[in-house]
Amino acid sequence: MSNTEISVPTLTRLAERACDGLRMVADGEDKTMEGWLIYGAALNEGRKMFPSDEQFGQWLVSSNLDGTVHNGDR
């Protein structure tokens, strides 16, 4: 899938979902697992849209998701 085929609202929703997941992790123990699952699912969906490391990395940066979680954990 090329960048031109992916709508900005779709990418924005993915980034928002990833951030929502991280907020749940930060909220506490009872929401941690659900938050990580939401975050991971959003990143997995983004990875499908951007199969190259460069494109995926650019999306993470433009979505303010770069640096939120250590690369090894992501």
Side-chain angles (χ1 to χ4, degrees):
M1 185 176 294
S2 74
N3 290 350
T4 57
E5 296 174 22
I6 303 168
S7 70
V8 171
T10 298
L11 295 176
T12 300
R13 279 193 304 275
L14 276 179
E16 288 171 352
R17 194 166 39 178
C19 288
D20 287 345
L22 287 177
R23 274 191 288 281
M24 290 176 79
V25 169
D27 281 347
E29 194 172 310
D30 61 329
K31 295 182 180 179
T32 299
M33 185 56 72
E34 184 179 0
W36 281 123
L37 291 172
I38 291 169
Y39 174 76
L43 290 189
N44 283 339
E45 197 170 329
R47 175 52 93 172
K48 287 179 189 175
M49 293 178 177
F50 299 107
S52 83
D53 289 342
E54 183 179 342
Q55 290 175 324
F56 183 67
Q58 289 172 355
W59 174 66
L60 290 175
V61 169
S62 69
S63 300
N64 295 318
L65 294 170
D66 186 48
T68 56
V69 175
H70 186 273
N71 287 351
D73 293 333
R74 189 175 46 222

